[in-house]
């Protein structure tokens, strides 16, 4: 009658697989040993990518449960360090096996290691090797970091490759442009984390688990300096050798945008009042809130009137001002501003460069999408061939075909969006040129979302008292342009101008 056994196989890294410890090699040796020694294999437990320093391994736990529920004559392993690299764990589990009458056999160590001193000696050697290997790994990672290479897994937008016998991080041709676009979109200030996650997910940018980025994960991505070339590891900072996906200027702009979002609490609102977060009460230095007052009979010319006012407890009568009056007074501030000729010419030069670079970027992004589409179409065509040849069934074909077609449709949508974005760039350039010619008129003709951009470009805050603008606080950008005479101000018509950012 054949004896019964379980076999346990483990590999922790690709390197071990290449060095002869692959699961296939281990299984071949264990099966051959079982056959030659009259064992019938009841079950095989295969563990991939797990360290033997701990017993908390899924397949190892299944083995222990199998030994408890259905004891066998022996458990066969290729080598003791495949089973355990910790003397305490090895001794404890070996004793449990012995109490159940189960022997532990290691092929490399020459047979039964469940009894006597020899098993503990081999386990001690395995534990020592594990500690030495662990220290060597840490030292190698430290040296890799010192040499300017990222020692860990590549973040989204990059991939790990082996080049000249060294593992390095390089931009991923598919996700790198999407990460760059994520930074560009967020820097505009028009996107919350939720909206940006949905937008980029529709374009193919996913977290490592293949799902849409959650708020915290997207925040971590947008605040990771690795993308502009700075590595942080082990409490130190160093400029890496990897290719940056963005500039330091774009990264800093995103951090400023995040700070402003925290200040202005950007979110979807039922009533999105134009001056919310910009106008303040001079008396209490608090932001003015806005609300509609509705009238439900015919005695009034309007069905509703909007008001800005201070929300300080106890009331602040001097802060109440009608919405239209307030927005008109703010719009009139722009009558006092005019860009200088030198700055206007500089903007035109930048626009010319923008057009030149934009055309190149458009062609590059379009080619990436086309290449992705071709690859998926090739996969779809191969799937159709497999159906015709009878290799796959109709259910599998339908499921995979629908998935591939959805991906193709998404890429087609991205192509349309890319074309539309190029047209939008032209409209934006026209808007910028108009702004340099006549700031006030451009502001009046701008849609609400552009008006908010103009307001935040010029003003940190506008202070109100008794329905009058008493003080305006300029942004650092506006202050710099003013000091360099790039913006001409008719100051005698302007309320007190303050570059101090504190109210």
């Amino acid at each position: 009658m054949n004896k019964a056994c379980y076999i346990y196989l483990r590999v922790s890294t690709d390197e071990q697989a290449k060095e002869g410890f692959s699961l296939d090699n281990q299984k071949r040796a264990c099966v051959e040993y079982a056959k030659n020694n009259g064992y019938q294999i009841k079950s095989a437990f295969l563990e991939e990518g797990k360290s033997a320093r701990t017993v908390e391994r899924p397949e190892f736990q299944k083995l222990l449960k199998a030994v408890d529920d259905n004891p066998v004559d022996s458990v066969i392993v290729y080598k003791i360090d495949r089973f355990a690299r910790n003397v305490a764990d090895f001794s404890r589990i070996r004793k449990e096996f012995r109490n159940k009458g189960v022997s532990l056999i290691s092929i490399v160590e020459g047979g039964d290691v469940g009894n006597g001193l020899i098993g503990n000696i081999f386990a001690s050697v395995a534990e020592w090797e594990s500690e030495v290997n662990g220290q060597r790994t840490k030292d190698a990672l430290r040296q890799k970091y010192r040499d300017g290479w990222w020692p860990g897994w590549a973040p989204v937008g990059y991939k790990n490759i082996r080049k000249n016998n060294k593992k390095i991080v390089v931009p991923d041709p598919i996700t790198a442009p999407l990460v760059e676009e994520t930074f560009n979109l967020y820097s505009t200030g028009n996107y919350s984390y939720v909206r940006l996650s949905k937008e980029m997910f529709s374009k193919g940018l996913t977290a490592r688990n293949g799902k849409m980025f959650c708020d915290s994960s997207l925040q971590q991505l947008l605040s990771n300096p690795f993308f502009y070339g700075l590595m942080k590891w082990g409490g130190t900072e160093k400029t890496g050798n990897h290719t940056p996906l963005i500039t330091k200027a774009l990264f800093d702009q995103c951090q400023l945008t995040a700070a402003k979002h925290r200040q202005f609490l950007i979110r979807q609102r039922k009533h999105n009042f134009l001056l919310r977060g910009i106008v303040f009460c001079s008396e209490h230095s608090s932001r003015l809130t806005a609300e509609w007052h509705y009238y439900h009979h015919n005695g009034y010319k309007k069905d509703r009137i909007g008001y800005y006012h201070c929300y300080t407890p106890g009331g602040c009568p001097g802060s109440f001002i009608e919405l239209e009056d307030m927005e008109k007074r703010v719009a009139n501030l722009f009558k006092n501003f005019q860009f200088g000729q030198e700055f206007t010419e500089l903007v035109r030069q930048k626009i010319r460069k923008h057009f030149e670079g934009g055309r190149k970027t458009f062609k590059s992004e379009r080619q990436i999408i086309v290449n992705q589409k071709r690859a998926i179409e090739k996969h779809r065509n191969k799937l159709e061939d497999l159906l015709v040849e009878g290799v796959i069934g109709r259910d599998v074909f339908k499921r995979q075909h629908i998935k591939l077609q959805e991906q193709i449709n998404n890429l087609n949508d991205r192509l349309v969006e890319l074309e539309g974005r190029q047209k939008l760039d032209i409209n934006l350039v026209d808007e910028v040129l108009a702004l340099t010619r006549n700031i006030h008129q451009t502001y009046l003709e701008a849609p609400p979302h552009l008006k908010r951009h103009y307001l935040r470009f010029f003003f940190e805050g506008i202070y109100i008292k008794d329905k009058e603008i008493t003080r305006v606080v300029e942004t650092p950008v506006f202050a710099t342009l003013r000091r360099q005479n790039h913006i001409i101000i008719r100051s005698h018509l302007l309320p007190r101008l303050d570059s101090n950012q504190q109210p």
Side-chain angles (χ1 to χ4, degrees):
M1 180 177 178
N2 285 342
K3 296 174 286 185
C5 74
Y6 295 130
I7 64 175
Y8 175 76
L9 321 167
R10 182 187 67 82
V11 65
S12 60
T13 64
D14 293 338
E15 282 74 11
Q16 287 185 348
K18 293 174 183 176
E19 292 168 4
F21 290 123
S22 71
L23 292 177
D24 288 340
N25 286 344
Q26 292 181 49
K27 186 174 183 180
R28 191 180 302 112
C30 290
V31 170
E32 184 178 340
Y33 182 93
K35 181 179 179 181
N36 293 338
N37 290 273
Y39 282 99
Q40 179 184 0
I41 299 174
K42 292 295 185 182
S43 187
F45 301 87
L46 283 66
E47 199 95 65
E48 294 186 80
K50 299 295 181 181
S51 169
R53 293 185 182 185
T54 173
V55 296
E56 298 303 323
R57 295 166 259 153
E59 292 300 314
F60 191 76
Q61 288 299 317
K62 290 179 183 178
L63 168 67
L64 298 182
K65 188 174 188 307
V67 171
D68 280 339
D69 296 343
N70 300 291
V72 290
D73 295 288
S74 300
V75 171
I76 300 175
V77 297
Y78 178 71
K79 194 171 184 281
I80 281 183
D81 65 5
R82 303 298 89 197
F83 184 80
R85 281 185 178 270
N86 180 297
V87 175
D89 289 337
F90 176 80
S91 299
R92 176 177 56 80
I93 296 171
R94 184 178 71 162
K95 183 178 180 180
E96 292 176 1
F97 280 10
R98 196 163 53 236
N99 291 339
K100 292 181 172 63
V102 179
S103 63
L104 178 62
I105 294 174
S106 170
I107 296 173
V108 172
E109 276 79 23
D112 190 348
V113 293
N115 292 294
L117 183 62
I118 188 67
N120 277 339
I121 293 175
F122 283 129
S124 297
V125 172
E127 182 174 1
W128 174 77
E129 286 180 341
S130 177
E131 292 174 353
V132 170
N133 289 338
Q135 188 59 46
R136 285 175 180 168
T137 299
K138 290 178 181 178
D139 291 342
L141 292 177
R142 288 193 191 99
Q143 187 57 48
K144 188 174 183 179
Y145 175 76
R146 293 190 197 104
D147 292 340
W149 297 105
W150 182 242
W153 287 105
V156 175
Y158 291 88
K159 62 180 181 179
N160 297 94
I161 67 166
R162 183 174 287 277
K163 185 178 181 181
N164 298 329
N165 204 32
K166 178 185 290 185
K167 285 185 176 180
I168 63 172
V169 170
V170 298
D172 186 310
I174 295 176
T175 58
L178 296 176
V179 170
E180 183 181 4
E181 184 178 355
T182 301
F183 276 92
N184 281 321
L185 290 179
Y186 188 71
S187 69
T188 65
N190 294 332
Y191 289 83
S192 64
Y193 291 137
V194 173
R195 183 184 171 196
L196 186 57
S197 293
K198 292 179 180 178
E199 175 82 10
M200 297 313 300
F201 183 71
S202 70
K203 296 181 178 183
L205 184 65
T206 65
R208 292 193 184 279
N209 58 9
K211 297 181 180 179
M212 185 171 68
F213 274 94
C214 63
D215 288 5
S216 59
S217 296
L218 187 61
Q219 182 183 13
Q220 289 174 6
L221 184 148
L222 290 167
S223 59
N224 188 350
F226 186 88
F227 294 107
Y228 74 80
L230 183 67
M231 301 189 303
K232 289 187 176 183
W233 190 75
T236 61
E237 295 182 356
K238 183 180 181 66
T239 300
N241 295 329
H242 62 282
T243 303
L245 300 187
I246 61 171
T247 64
K248 175 70 162 55
L250 177 57
F251 179 83
D252 289 342
Q253 179 59 41
C254 287
Q255 308 321 299
L256 179 60
T257 299
K260 286 191 173 183
H261 281 195
R262 289 192 293 271
Q263 179 184 6
F264 294 125
L265 300 175
I266 299 302
R267 57 183 180 268
Q268 296 294 327
R269 300 179 183 272
K270 183 177 180 181
H271 301 299
N272 204 1
F273 294 101
L274 177 63
L275 303 179
R276 191 194 297 268
I278 295 290
V279 288
F280 292 77
C281 172
S282 287
E283 186 72 21
H284 301 100
S285 298
S286 59
R287 291 191 187 91
L288 299 189
T289 188
E291 59 187 23
W292 291 106
H293 290 244
Y294 293 88
Y295 302 98
H296 302 291
H297 53 80
N298 297 326
Y300 293 91
K301 295 180 180 179
K302 300 179 180 179
D303 60 347
R304 65 178 187 175
I305 298 178
Y307 286 95
Y308 287 97
H309 64 90
C310 178
Y311 58 83
T312 299
C316 181
S319 68
F320 274 82
I321 182 170
E322 282 194 31
L323 183 144
E324 291 183 5
D325 186 18
M326 181 75 255
E327 293 181 357
K328 183 177 180 180
R329 289 174 183 271
V330 169
N332 286 338
L333 291 177
F334 290 99
K335 289 181 178 180
N336 305 302
F337 305 147
Q338 180 182 340
F339 285 105
Q341 185 62 38
E342 182 182 350
F343 181 76
T344 301
E345 181 57 34
L346 180 62
V347 170
R348 291 196 182 100
Q349 293 175 12
K350 292 290 185 182
I351 287 174
R352 280 194 289 269
K353 289 183 179 180
H354 172 79
F355 269 128
E356 293 172 1
R359 292 188 186 102
K360 293 179 181 178
T361 301
F362 172 76
K363 290 180 180 179
S364 175
E365 291 185 6
R366 189 179 188 282
Q367 191 59 52
I368 289 172
I369 297 173
V370 169
N371 290 343
Q372 291 175 334
K373 183 180 175 183
R374 286 174 180 168
I376 296 173
E377 287 175 339
K378 184 178 180 180
H379 190 182
R380 182 192 61 185
N381 295 340
K382 184 178 180 181
L383 189 71
E384 292 169 351
D385 292 340
L386 292 176
L387 176 67
V388 173
E389 294 168 4
V391 177
I392 59 175
R394 291 181 62 193
D395 290 342
V396 174
F397 171 77
K398 287 181 180 179
R399 187 167 59 250
Q400 294 295 325
H401 195 271
I402 290 173
K403 183 178 178 180
L404 293 174
Q405 192 58 51
E406 286 178 350
Q407 293 176 1
I408 291 173
N409 291 340
N410 285 337
L411 291 173
N412 286 333
D413 291 341
R414 286 177 60 188
L415 284 172
V416 172
E417 181 184 348
L418 188 62
E419 298 280 355
R421 200 168 72 205
Q422 189 184 36
K423 294 178 182 177
L424 179 62
D425 284 348
I426 295 173
N427 292 336
L428 183 59
V429 165
D430 178 62
E431 187 76 21
V432 171
L433 288 173
L435 183 67
T436 60
R437 289 191 292 266
N438 190 322
I439 298 175
H440 178 248
Q441 190 61 36
T442 303
Y443 175 82
L444 292 179
E445 295 174 355
H449 72 278
L450 270 183
K451 284 183 177 178
R452 278 188 286 273
H453 275 296
Y454 293 148
L455 288 167
R456 289 181 180 174
F457 176 82
F458 287 97
F459 308 119
E460 284 286 344
I462 300 171
Y463 288 78
I464 311 298
K465 184 176 182 180
D466 296 329
K467 301 183 180 181
E468 296 290 341
I469 297 176
T470 60
R471 179 165 65 100
V472 294
V473 179
E474 58 188 357
T475 62
V477 173
F478 181 25
T480 300
L481 290 174
R482 178 177 56 79
R483 285 194 294 268
Q484 295 176 353
N485 296 320
H486 290 320
I487 290 183
I488 301 169
I489 301 177
R490 287 180 285 179
S491 58
H492 64 284
L493 298 178
L494 192 66
R496 183 164 68 90
L497 189 65
D498 189 358
S499 60
N500 179 11
Q501 302 308 302
Q502 300 300 320

